[in-house]
């Protein structure tokens, strides 16, 4: 048993993973389409030859990469990274969602446990701290970089 990489058409990774799992083959155990891995789906199977034949019937699946991987090589895809990772206090950010969408702000505090960031809006007459989720901001300028 191993983990095999299936080459797919870009932006069709989830569709291919779903179609592989919908086949309900006994020798195919799992399919993973991580967002950070473009044009590939990771498939856990007994051996590649078993699902190579079903890939002909799945649109957007373009073949199997030679060789197999271990769980150690793909486990970093299995744990989500927090949205506040890579953000530091003092960074200049733009709010990309919510009532202050489009506003620029400076990061005051980061709460990694709750995946939230407290920012202070730039153009506000009175500085008001606003707490937003980490996925609602985009870093424009970082003091660390």
């Amino acid at each position: 048993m191993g983990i095999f990489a299936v080459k797919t058409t870009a932006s069709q990774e989830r569709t291919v993973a779903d179609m592989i799992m919908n086949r309900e083959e006994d020798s195919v155990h799992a399919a993973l389409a991580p967002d950070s891995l473009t044009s590939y789906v990771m498939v856990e199977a007994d051996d590649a030859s078993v699902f190579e034949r079903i890939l002909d019937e799945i649109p957007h699946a373009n073949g199997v990469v030679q060789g197999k991987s271990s769980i150690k090589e793909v486990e970093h895809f299995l744990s989500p990274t927090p949205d506040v990772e890579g953000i530091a206090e003092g960074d200049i950010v733009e709010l990309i969602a919510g009532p202050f969408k489009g506003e620029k702000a400076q990061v005051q505090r980061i709460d990694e446990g709750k995946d939230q960031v407290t920012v202070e809006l730039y153009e506000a007459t009175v500085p008001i701290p606003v707490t937003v989720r980490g996925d609602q901001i985009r870093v424009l300028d970082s003091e660390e970089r």
Side-chain angles (χ1 to χ4, degrees):
M1 186 161 65
I3 297 174
F4 302 90
V6 176
K7 180 87 173 105
T8 67
T9 306
S11 303
Q12 297 297 321
E13 301 88 0
R14 283 232 165 101
T15 306
V16 171
D18 288 343
M19 288 182 183
I20 290 172
M21 292 313 297
N22 287 339
R23 296 294 303 231
E24 295 183 6
E25 293 282 329
D26 291 337
S27 59
V28 177
H29 306 289
L32 173 69
D35 292 334
S36 58
L37 191 62
T38 307
S39 298
Y40 290 94
V41 172
M42 305 308 289
V43 179
E44 183 182 22
D46 292 338
D47 63 79
S49 62
V50 175
F51 68 91
E52 276 178 350
R53 93 184 133 73
I54 67 169
L55 291 183
D56 292 337
E57 302 166 16
I58 296 176
H60 308 294
N62 301 328
V64 180
V65 177
Q66 291 297 321
K68 65 180 181 179
S69 301
S70 67
I71 194 74
K72 290 274 187 231
E73 292 177 297
V74 296
E75 69 183 352
H76 66 279
F77 292 122
L78 301 175
S79 58
T81 56
D83 292 323
V84 296
E85 190 174 286
I87 299 172
E89 290 181 14
D91 284 358
I92 308 302
V93 297
E94 178 184 8
L95 286 101
I96 57 172
F100 299 107
K101 182 178 179 177
E103 294 284 332
K104 290 180 179 47
Q106 184 172 20
V107 176
Q108 300 299 315
R109 190 172 62 246
I110 300 167
D111 186 346
E112 289 185 17
K114 293 182 180 177
D115 209 19
Q116 293 180 336
V117 179
T118 302
V119 297
E120 203 169 86
L121 300 176
Y122 261 159
E123 276 111 43
T125 7
V126 179
I128 302 170
V130 178
T131 302
V132 294
R133 291 193 330 258
D135 64 344
Q136 294 184 336
I137 60 173
R138 175 171 56 106
V139 177
L140 297 176
D141 186 31
S142 178
E143 291 181 352
E144 291 183 356
R145 292 182 199 125

